[in-house]
C-alpha cells in the first residue's frame, strides 16, 4: 500500500462521495419514510433493519442489540413496551485499534402541525430533502454509513477499525438507546478510542458539549372552596404565582451569567428557565385546590444542576416557613449534567483538519443548547475524545418543514470519511 498524502486522500474521498450522492439521498429518503416517532417509538425495528441492511451492503459486520422486556418500563417509561433495537456495524482494518465509533439516533419527534409538505414523503426540491428527521438526524446516519462506503469504494486501506451504530430514543433521553449500549459496554474506554455523535449540529461546526438539563414538576396545594367565598379556601394558583415570582426575583439573578463557551444559538449562552406546562383549576366558581407546573431549566457548563435544584427546594422551604398555608412538592423528571470536552484532542484536530480541507475554511466550535447522547459517552463511559459532528442544520430540528440541504449531506460524509481515515491511520 503506498502512502497517500492527505490532500490526495481528500480529493479521492470527495470524488467518491460525489459519485455516491444519488444513492445516499435515496437511503436518507428510505429512512425519513419510516415514521419513527418518539414518543412512543413506532417502527423502530423497521428502521433499524433498513440501516442494518445498508451497513451489510457496505461490508460491515452487523449486530442488533435489543433491550430486554423487563428493562423497558425503566429505560423507556413512555415507550408503550415497544421494542428499542440498536444496530451496530463494524469494519475492521488491519488492526483492532485505533477504533473510531460513529453513532446517531434514528428516532424522531412527532411531526406536529404546520407542514407544507407531507412530513414522511421525503420530497426532494431545490436541493433540499424535506421530512421529519431529515436534519435531526437521519442525515447524520446516512452520512456516517456513506463515509465508510466511500472509504471502501475509494480503496483506502485502514489501519484501525470503524464502528457505525444507530440507536433509538434520543428524543426521550436516550436511556434505552445509546445509554443502554454504554451500560452494556459496547462503548467504553477499553474498546473505543474516539466517538463521534452525528447529531445535527451544523456541517461546519465541531460541537464540544451541551448545556445541562433540569426538568422539574412543581406542585402547590391549597384548599377547595366556593369561588364566591375564597376566604374559606386556599388558592393553589395564587401560591404558585408567589413561588414563580420568588423564583424570578430571588433565584434567577444569581444565575445571570454569560457562558464563555460557544453555545449556539448565542441567545442560549446563559441559563434559561422556561415554564412549559401548567395545570390547575376545576370550574370557574371553585377555588383551585392544586396547581402543577413543569419547568425546563437549562444550565450553562459553568453551572451546577444539583445546586440549581437545591436552590429551588431551599426557596420552597423558606416560603413554607413564612407562610404556613404554602404547601408544595417538587418532583424531578430528569436531570443531566452539562457536558464539555477539551478542544485540543486528536479527534478534534482530525475534524478541524478534515473540515478545513473539505470546506476550504476553518471549522467553528459550538456547544449545544440542549442535551444529547454525548452525555453517555463522556459522563458514563468516561471517554473524553467524543465530539458531536453531523450535517443537519441545528435550527431546523423539531420544526415544521424540517429539511436537509443535500450539499451539506455530502459535505458531512466527506468530512467524516477524511477524519476517520486520519484517526484510524493507514495500513
Ligand atoms: Zn437529534
Amino acid at each position: 500500500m503506498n502512502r497517500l498524502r492527505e490532500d490526495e486522500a481528500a480529493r479521492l474521498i470527495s470524488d467518491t462521495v460525489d459519485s455516491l450522492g444519488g444513492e445516499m439521498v435515496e437511503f436518507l429518503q428510505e429512512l425519513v419514510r419510516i415514521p419513527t416517532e418518539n414518543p412512543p417509538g413506532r417502527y423502530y425495528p423497521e428502521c433499524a433493519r433498513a440501516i442494518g441492511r445498508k451497513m451489510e451492503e457496505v461490508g460491515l459486520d452487523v449486530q442488533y442489540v435489543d433491550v430486554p422486556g423487563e428493562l423497558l418500563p425503566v429505560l423507556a417509561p413512555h415507550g408503550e413496551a415497544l421494542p428499542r433495537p440498536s444496530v451496530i456495524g463494524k469494519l475492521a482494518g488491519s488492526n483492532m485499534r485505533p477504533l473510531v465509533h460513529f453513532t446517531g439516533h434514528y428516532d424522531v419527534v412527532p411531526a406536529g402541525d404546520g407542514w407544507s409538505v407531507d412530513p414522511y414523503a421525503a420530497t426532494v426540491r431545490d436541493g433540499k430533502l424535506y421530512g421529519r428527521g431529515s436534519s435531526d438526524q437521519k442525515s447524520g446516519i446516512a452520512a456516517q454509513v456513506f463515509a465508510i462506503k466511500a472509504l471502501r469504494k475509494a480503496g483506502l486501506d485502514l489501519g484501525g477499525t470503524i464502528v457505525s451504530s444507530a440507536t433509538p430514543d434520543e428524543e426521550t433521553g436516550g436511556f434505552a438507546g445509546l445509554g443502554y449500549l454504554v451500560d452494556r459496554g459496547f462503548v467504553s474506554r477499553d474498546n473505543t478510542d474516539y466517538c463521534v455523535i452525528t447529531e445535527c449540529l451544523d456541517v461546519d461546526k465541531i460541537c464540544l458539549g451541551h448545556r445541562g438539563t433540569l426538568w422539574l414538576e412543581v406542585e402547590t396545594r391549597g384548599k377547595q372552596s366556593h369561588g364566591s367565598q375564597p376566604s374559606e379556601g386556599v388558592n393553589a394558583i395564587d401560591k404558585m404565582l408567589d413561588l414563580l415570582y420568588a423564583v424570578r426575583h430571588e433565584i434567577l439573578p444569581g444565575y445571570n451569567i454569560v457562558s464563555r463557551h460557544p453555545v449556539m444559538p448565542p441567545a442560549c449562552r446563559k441559563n434559561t428557565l422556561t415554564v412549559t406546562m401548567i395545570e390547575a383549576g376545576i370550574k370557574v366558581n371553585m377555588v383551585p385546590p392544586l396547581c402543577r407546573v413543569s419547568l425546563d431549566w437549562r444550565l450553562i457548563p459553568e453551572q451546577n444542576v444539583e445546586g440549581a435544584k437545591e436552590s429551588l427546594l431551599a426557596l420552597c422551604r423558606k416560603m413554607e416557613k413564612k407562610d404556613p398555608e404554602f404547601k408544595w412538592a417538587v418532583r424531578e423528571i430528569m436531570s443531566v449534567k452539562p457536558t464539555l470536552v477539551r478542544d485540543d484532542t486528536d479527534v478534534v484536530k482530525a475534524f478541524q483538519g478534515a473540515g478545513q480541507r473539505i470546506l476550504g475554511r476553518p471549522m467553528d466550535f459550538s456547544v449545544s443548547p440542549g442535551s444529547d447522547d454525548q452525555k453517555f459517552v463522556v459522563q458514563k463511559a468516561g471517554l473524553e475524545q467524543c465530539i458531536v459532528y453531523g450535517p443537519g442544520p441545528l435550527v431546523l430540528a423539531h420544526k415544521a418543514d424540517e429539511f436537509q440541504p443535500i450539499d451539506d449531506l455530502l459535505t458531512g460524509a466527506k468530512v467524516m470519511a477524511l477524519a476517520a481515515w486520519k484517526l484510524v491511520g493507514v495500513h
Side-chain angles (χ1 to χ4, degrees), residues 104-178:
H105 70 85
Y106 66 73
D107 61 315
V108 302
V109 291
D113 297 327
W115 289 75
S116 67
V117 292
D118 177 344
Y120 296 112
T123 309
V124 173
R125 191 190 296 157
D126 302 329
K128 297 167 181 162
L129 195 163
Y130 287 86
R132 174 57 81 230
S134 57
S135 160
D136 183 8
Q137 58 123 109
K138 287 171 171 170
S139 57
I141 294 172
Q144 73 191 50
V145 172
F146 275 78
I148 301 171
K149 177 152 185 160
L151 288 169
R152 296 212 74 194
K153 193 179 171 202
L156 291 166
D157 282 347
L158 301 175
T161 298
I162 304 183
V163 173
S164 168
S165 67
T167 63
D169 269 14
E170 192 277 341
E171 299 293 0
T172 45
F175 303 98
L178 191 59

Side-chain angles (χ1 to χ4, degrees), residues 1-10 12 154-156 421 426:
M1 166 77 199
N2 23 357
R3 210 168 279 266
L4 269 186
R5 290 203 324 263
E6 191 181 320
D7 60 329
E8 293 168 335
L12 194 53
L156 291 166
W421 178 80
V426 188

